Amino acid sequence: MDKTWWKESVVYQIYPRSFNDSNGDGIGDIKGMIEKLDYLKELGIDVIWLSPVYKSPNDDNGYDISDYQDIMDDFGTMADWEELLSEIHNRGMKLIMDLVVNHSSDEHEWFQESRKSKDNPYRDYYIWRPGKGEKEPNNWESTFSGPAWEYDEQTNEYYLHIFSKKQPDLNWENPKLRNEIYKMMKWWLDKGIDGFRMDVINFISKVPALPDAPNPEAKRYVSGSQYFMNGPRIHEFLQEMHKEVLSLYDIMTVGEMPGVDVEEAKKYTDQNRDELQMVFQFEHMDLDSGPNGKWDLKPLDLRDLKESISKWQTGLHGVGWNSLYLNNHDQPRIVSRFGNDKEYRVESAKMLGTFLHMLQGTPYIYQGEEIGMTNIKFDSINDYQDIEILNMYKEKVTEGNEDHDKVMESIYVKGRDNARTPIQWDDTENGGFTTGDPWIQVNPNYKTINAKQAVKDEHSIYHYYRKLIKLRKQHDLIVYGEYQLILPDHEQIYAYMRSYEGEKLLVVTNFSEQYVAFQLPEDVTFKAEEVLIGNYDIDGIEDFSSFTLKPYEARVYKGI
Ligand code: NOJ
């Protein structure tokens, strides 16, 4: 296995709107980020992934881009961005930018041109089709509810939008479009950025006939997704992008890929295939969803998590490389989701961090995770800002006949705004995020949960994360070691081994609030030499092969 800097890095995701507001307009901005770079450096971060800061009408908080080569006014100027990049580099950190090229905004000039006439030179930058009689060209659905097609009177045709109708899908079949994208990518790379996180990049190749989904009701993801996820030319497009752009720079790449399985991910990340380095897969994030998708709530069965994570750990070993994440701007807060955000908030957040950071792959921390930020509950639907939540509520409750309370409950558990409330920096008004009116309300628990408190308290989640990150820097075993699951059927304990060049790790985590007995299986050969980290004090004489775990306890032993 090749050793590379991006395998040894820990990444921190910034969601700009909610990170830090420097000018009191209630919206996070680039200058606000610069103010907090020392905090990130102290935490031990190597790479910052910046969610979109490009020009955008903000239908989907910047994931709808109207100019790929300019900065959103809310966030600052290109000069601010240049300063951010150099301040990041000055501190020995790297910056990767979000690349959103499955779709643009409908306010992008390409689309403005494209919609003008059927023979406009930009027409084929997007996917236009005539309707079927009075109906849409096919039965695909938008991820944000409703049909995936929007009728445009001007040319009497529909355009495809897998996301909102203000996010028309770009037509990757068109080589001219592909070249424009590559040019734009190089423009950013030549400014000195260190790579890209690529938004839904496995959606860019669609089955050209755009066929109807045969059974649109029976679905886990939206109707039609089998025709646009991992489509027929996806590997060809990524290999072309690699040849034209990625291969020319020493950078990091990670592709966000809903609906990718391990076999497909091997193809995307196999270094001999010249595509990407990592993918963000979603299998572990779908385990608490029922057959009707994300809003269909289902409790997590820990055995499912083990099965899924283990499949990815062993599947990509020696072939590709895993990205490790439990949070991002689209997911609820993990401590509220797989942990306990009340009496065991600190313990369970540390346990989840341990579980993740001891795996093989590159760990990603989402802003606020390092201080154990929790989900939000707004009483009124009107306080939510996310287009996915609002469209879903409208479809199910306002226009449909689903029960308000039941839908609100699903929003409390799964809504994306859970991750998007402002970072709680201190216990002053609005958690120190802004001196103005925040664009989305701050979680009222900022008085007790905030970064200032966490930095001061040596037993905080923040300091525990620092230690997790430091350990990864000290032990190649944590980065490169081979993974082996133990106790696959245990319902509360997730335990695994890592091994590398004669060294071993034993990681034992309790995903429950019960006291549970751990017994090292007899067929596992391991002799502990030291405790690397744990979220409770451990009695030095305690036997590593048989002990009782406290609620949400995590222990990591190193040995041979
Ligand atoms: C995935 C992004 O993470 C999400 O926030 C966005 O809404 C969609 N892609 C569309 O860009």
Side-chain angles (χ1 to χ4, degrees):
M1 197 188 307
D2 290 345
K3 291 188 171 182
T4 63
W5 63 266
W6 48 268
K7 290 180 180 167
E8 296 172 8
S9 290
V10 176
V11 185
Y12 188 94
Q13 181 192 355
I14 291 184
Y15 192 67
R17 267 190 116 62
S18 307
F19 189 63
N20 187 33
D21 174 20
S22 73
N23 64 357
D25 67 356
I27 299 172
D29 49 42
I30 293 175
K31 283 202 177 339
M33 294 172 203
I34 297 172
E35 287 172 10
K36 299 295 180 186
L37 290 179
D38 288 335
Y39 167 85
L40 298 181
K41 181 69 189 170
E42 272 297 297
L43 180 57
I45 296 306
D46 304 289
V47 178
I48 294 171
W49 150 27
L50 194 53
S51 275
V53 289
Y54 314 100
K55 276 253 181 326
S56 161
N58 272 312
D59 193 50
D60 185 20
N61 286 354
Y63 281 92
D64 49 318
I65 297 169
S66 53
D67 186 343
Y68 287 106
Q69 286 163 259
D70 205 349
I71 301 293
M72 191 191 299
D73 294 336
D74 287 343
F75 295 155
T77 62
M78 189 58 86
D80 295 340
W81 181 87
E82 302 273 1
E83 188 186 339
L84 174 71
L85 179 66
S86 69
E87 289 297 327
I88 289 173
H89 284 166
N90 286 344
R91 288 168 176 77
M93 297 189 285
K94 295 184 191 285
L95 176 65
I96 67 173
M97 297 287 279
D98 222 303
L99 182 77
V100 188
V101 291
N102 173 67
H103 45 269
S104 72
S105 163
D106 65 338
E107 296 182 31
H108 193 290
E109 65 172 346
W110 296 341
F111 190 76
Q112 296 297 318
E113 286 298 314
S114 182
R115 75 185 336 167
K116 281 186 183 157
S117 67
K118 288 184 187 168
D119 56 10
N120 188 284
Y122 289 92
R123 185 66 170 180
D124 287 340
Y125 274 44
Y126 294 87
I127 303 171
W128 293 94
R129 292 289 184 279
K132 272 195 197 152
E134 291 292 282
K135 293 205 354 217
E136 286 83 15
N138 70 23
N139 64 1
W140 296 5
E141 271 171 34
S142 149
T143 342
F144 295 154
S145 306
W149 295 93
E150 183 71 8
Y151 177 67
D152 204 48
E153 240 169 37
Q154 223 159 313
T155 54
N156 188 29
E157 284 195 336
Y158 291 78
Y159 63 86
L160 179 69
H161 62 90
I162 307 283
F163 294 91
S164 94
K165 59 182 177 209
K166 287 185 66 63
Q167 293 168 297
D169 281 55
L170 289 161
N171 177 19
W172 277 71
E173 299 291 323
N174 180 353
K176 269 214 210 124
L177 176 271
R178 301 205 298 275
N179 281 328
E180 294 252 27
I181 301 282
Y182 301 152
K183 222 169 65 194
M184 175 272 285
M185 292 172 73
K186 283 197 236 169
W187 185 83
W188 282 105
L189 288 162
D190 291 338
K191 281 184 175 291
I193 67 166
D194 304 289
F196 290 110
R197 174 269 186 188
M198 303 184 185
D199 193 68
V200 290
I201 198 69
N202 65 330
F203 287 17
I204 59 176
S205 162
K206 279 89 177 166
V207 170
L210 309 178
D212 270 332
N215 190 359
E217 298 310 316
K219 55 171 194 266
R220 182 67 190 247
Y221 203 60
V222 290
S223 155
S225 55
Q226 66 268 48
Y227 300 121
F228 60 76
M229 288 174 170
N230 312 305
R233 297 182 70 189
I234 184 67
H235 295 288
E236 177 198 331
F237 291 159
L238 290 176
Q239 282 169 8
E240 181 183 83
M241 180 196 283
H242 190 276
K243 180 164 160 269
E244 299 293 327
V245 184
L246 307 176
S247 64
L248 310 178
Y249 304 83
D250 175 23
I251 52 170
M252 175 176 148
T253 56
V254 53
E256 187 209 25
M257 300 201 180
V260 69
D261 63 18
V262 183
E263 288 315 309
E264 203 62 34
K266 282 186 194 169
K267 295 189 202 153
Y268 287 120
T269 64
D270 181 342
Q271 290 311 280
N272 297 319
R273 289 176 51 92
D274 291 340
E275 296 184 23
L276 302 177
Q277 294 159 347
M278 286 171 263
V279 303
F280 283 132
Q281 56 94 7
F282 286 79
E283 286 186 0
H284 64 308
M285 293 282 100
D286 290 338
L287 298 173
D288 55 356
S289 299
N292 296 315
K294 109 175 223 183
W295 306 110
D296 179 10
L297 305 181
K298 178 184 143 199
L300 172 73
D301 183 329
L302 186 62
R303 291 164 300 185
D304 293 341
L305 183 67
K306 295 183 200 183
E307 195 191 323
S308 170
I309 296 287
S310 303
K311 193 172 58 184
W312 283 87
Q313 287 284 301
T314 49
L316 293 192
H317 179 76
V319 184
W321 193 248
N322 273 289
S323 68
L324 307 171
Y325 77 96
L326 291 171
N327 289 275
N328 61 41
H329 64 291
D330 296 328
Q331 300 293 334
R333 293 279 178 188
I334 200 63
V335 68
S336 304
R337 189 179 190 179
F338 293 173
N340 174 327
D341 63 9
K342 310 233 156 38
E343 56 273 46
Y344 296 112
R345 187 184 66 88
V346 173
E347 291 79 0
S348 63
K350 290 177 180 175
M351 181 281 288
L352 290 161
T354 314
F355 154 70
L356 194 78
H357 283 248
M358 293 297 129
L359 291 170
Q360 187 190 69
T362 298
Y364 291 73
I365 298 171
Y366 176 65
Q367 61 182 33
E369 173 181 343
E370 77 283 8
I371 56 168
M373 279 179 60
T374 66
N375 280 355
I376 187 75
K377 264 191 188 179
F378 295 134
D379 292 335
S380 163
I381 185 69
N382 300 325
D383 288 329
Y384 285 91
Q385 306 290 337
D386 174 24
I387 182 168
E388 182 188 40
I389 294 178
L390 297 174
N391 285 3
M392 181 279 282
Y393 182 89
K394 186 161 159 243
E395 184 183 78
K396 288 191 198 252
V397 182
T398 319
E399 292 164 0
N401 50 16
E402 287 198 29
D403 178 49
H404 163 86
D405 290 342
K406 188 173 158 238
V407 171
M408 289 306 284
E409 189 51 39
S410 69
I411 294 171
Y412 294 154
V413 176
K414 287 288 188 63
R416 304 196 297 182
D417 280 341
N418 281 309
R420 299 178 179 185
T421 62
I423 296 306
Q424 299 160 203
W425 292 107
D426 57 38
D427 62 2
T428 63
E429 202 181 354
N430 291 320
F433 163 72
T434 181
T435 52
D437 270 344
W439 70 277
I440 185 172
Q441 285 173 45
V442 178
N443 194 317
N445 63 21
Y446 71 85
K447 296 252 179 226
T448 47
I449 303 173
N450 61 66
K452 189 170 173 202
Q453 181 281 331
V455 169
K456 218 164 49 192
D457 171 8
E458 60 173 316
H459 300 296
S460 68
I461 301 164
Y462 170 85
H463 284 290
Y464 193 88
Y465 265 68
R466 280 186 72 201
K467 191 162 174 198
L468 286 172
I469 295 168
K470 205 185 233 166
L471 285 171
R472 182 166 275 265
K473 306 267 147 70
Q474 291 163 341
H475 301 280
D476 274 355
L477 167 64
I478 298 179
V479 179
Y480 296 106
E482 192 169 350
Y483 166 99
Q484 184 202 345
L485 180 69
I486 54 180
L487 304 176
D489 300 319
H490 203 291
E491 290 176 32
Q492 290 142 313
I493 298 177
Y494 192 143
Y496 58 90
M497 308 284 308
R498 303 282 308 280
S499 46
Y500 185 71
E501 297 184 341
E503 291 186 326
K504 285 184 184 169
L505 270 193
L506 167 64
V507 182
V508 187
T509 56
N510 177 5
F511 272 68
S512 80
E513 54 187 72
Q514 274 97 49
Y515 286 77
V516 274
F518 169 77
Q519 179 70 52
L520 190 70
E522 270 170 21
D523 58 350
V524 176
T525 45
F526 177 68
K527 189 172 166 309
E529 290 176 337
E530 59 174 314
V531 178
L532 275 195
I533 190 167
N535 58 353
Y536 286 85
D537 287 335
I538 303 174
D539 189 344
I541 55 166
E542 211 166 349
D543 181 2
F544 65 86
S545 62
S546 164
F547 53 86
T548 299
L549 285 159
K550 299 192 177 73
Y552 295 103
E553 183 166 357
R555 293 185 188 193
V556 182
Y557 289 99
K558 183 168 164 284
I560 48 172

